[in-house]
Amino acid sequence: MKVLITGAAGRLGRASRPPLRQAGHALRITDLSTASLDPVAGEDALSGNLGEPAILERALAGVEVVVHWAATSNEQAFPLVLENNHRVLYELYEGARRHGVRRIVYASSNHAFGLHETSTRLRLDSPYRADCFYGLSKVWGEELGRMYWTKHGIETVALRIGTFMNLPPRNVRELSTWLGLEDLQQLVKLAVEKPGVGFAPVWGISANTRAWYDLSEPNALGYVPRQNAEEFAAGLPKEDAAAADDPASRYQGGKFVTQSWTPAAQRPHR
Ligand code: 15L
C-alpha cells in the first residue's frame, strides 16, 4: 500500500517507519523542511509544511492511507494550535476526499480525556474531558474523523496516545500512560492494515498494571498490548507525596492541567 507518514522525522514518525517498511508498504515521508527525514530504501521524502496547498497536494498524490503525526504536540498559544491541529487537519481531510484516500490514522491523545480524575477507569466511549487547548484540538480531530466517516466514507483510526518517548517510564504518572516501542509498532501496523474499521478509537498505551483505561474492552483493531510499564516501577526515582488538592495529581492530564489553572481563591465561583 502507498502510505503517507506526516511528522515522519519526529519520535512517533521515526518509530512507525520500520514496521510499515518491513511489511512491504511504500512510504512517502514528510516533515517540516527544518527536520531531517533521513529516507532509506522504500521511502520517498518530501520536506515542507502541509499547511501549504502545493505541499499537501504532492504529499497526498497516489496515497491510500495517511498516518498523521504532524501537529502541535503539547499546550501552546491557541493561534498555533488552531493553525496546526485544526486548520491543517481540515485541509488534510479535504485533500483526502480529493485524492481518494481510504483511511487516516490520527494521532489523538490522552489529553482529550485529561480532566478525568486518576481514580476513573475510562472506556472507549467515555466522555471527552480535554485538559487544555491542545487536548481540545484532539477532541475536535476525533469528531472530524467520525464526521468524515459518516458523511464521506473516509475511515479514521484515532490512536489515543498516552506517553511515547521511546524510553522507559520516567515518573509515576507514566506508569499509567506509557506506550512501549514494540506496542506502538504493532499498533501502527494494525491501524494501517486492519480492514473495515470505519471510525475506530483505540487506547495507544501498553498493558500497564496502573492503566486508567479499560484494556479488557475489545477494540476494532484487535490491538492487544504486550508491554507493561510496571516492570520499570522499582527503578523510578522517589517522588514527594503530592498534596491531596494538587490538580496535577488529581487529574489524568498531570502538568497539562496546571499549565493554566486558577486557584480556588481567585475564581468567580468556588
Ligand atoms: C501528549 O499528548 C504529548 O504529545 C506528549 O508530549 C506527552 O506529553 C504525552 O501526551 C503525555 O501525556 O505524557
Side-chain angles (χ1 to χ4, degrees), residues 184-234:
L184 168 78
Q185 292 186 326
Q186 61 139 329
L187 180 60
V188 169
K189 192 166 172 297
L190 284 167
V192 168
E193 294 178 351
K194 186 82 180 183
V197 299
F199 172 77
V202 185
W203 300 115
I205 69 151
S206 284
N208 304 326
T209 305
R210 304 186 204 191
W212 294 318
Y213 319 93
D214 180 359
L215 298 172
S216 65
E217 186 184 14
N219 59 74
L221 301 184
Y223 165 64
V224 180
R226 293 191 275 261
Q227 297 176 273
N228 187 338
E230 204 61 26
E231 76 171 275
F232 303 98

Side-chain angles (χ1 to χ4, degrees), residues 19 94 243 257:
E94 282 298 298
V257 174

Side-chain angles (χ1 to χ4, degrees), residues 68-74 78-90 106-107 133-138 140-141 144:
H68 184 50
W69 298 121
T72 292
S73 63
N74 51 32
F78 183 63
L80 193 67
V81 176
L82 191 61
E83 168 63 14
N84 292 334
N85 296 11
H86 293 255
R87 188 188 75 79
V88 174
L89 191 68
Y90 155 77
Y106 173 61
F133 294 117
Y134 160 69
L136 206 50
S137 75
K138 297 298 177 181
W140 188 82
L144 190 76

Side-chain angles (χ1 to χ4, degrees), residues 11 73-74 109-111 134 161-163 165 173-174 177 256:
R11 229 183 344 257
S73 63
N74 51 32
S109 167
N110 71 90
H111 294 286
Y134 160 69
I161 306 291
T163 305
M165 293 290 160
R173 176 177 182 272
E174 291 181 9
T177 59
F256 281 58

Side-chain angles (χ1 to χ4, degrees), residues 1-3 16-27 64-67 102-105 155 157 159 185-197 220-222:
M1 235 181 304
K2 183 77 180 175
V3 180
S16 310
R17 288 155 55 184
L20 296 179
R21 271 197 324 261
Q22 282 152 22
H25 299 294
L27 304 187
E64 286 168 80
V65 174
V66 179
V67 180
R102 289 195 300 102
R103 176 179 298 182
I104 295 183
V105 178
E155 294 186 311
V157 179
L159 301 179
Q185 292 186 326
Q186 61 139 329
L187 180 60
V188 169
K189 192 166 172 297
L190 284 167
V192 168
E193 294 178 351
K194 186 82 180 183
V197 299
L221 301 184

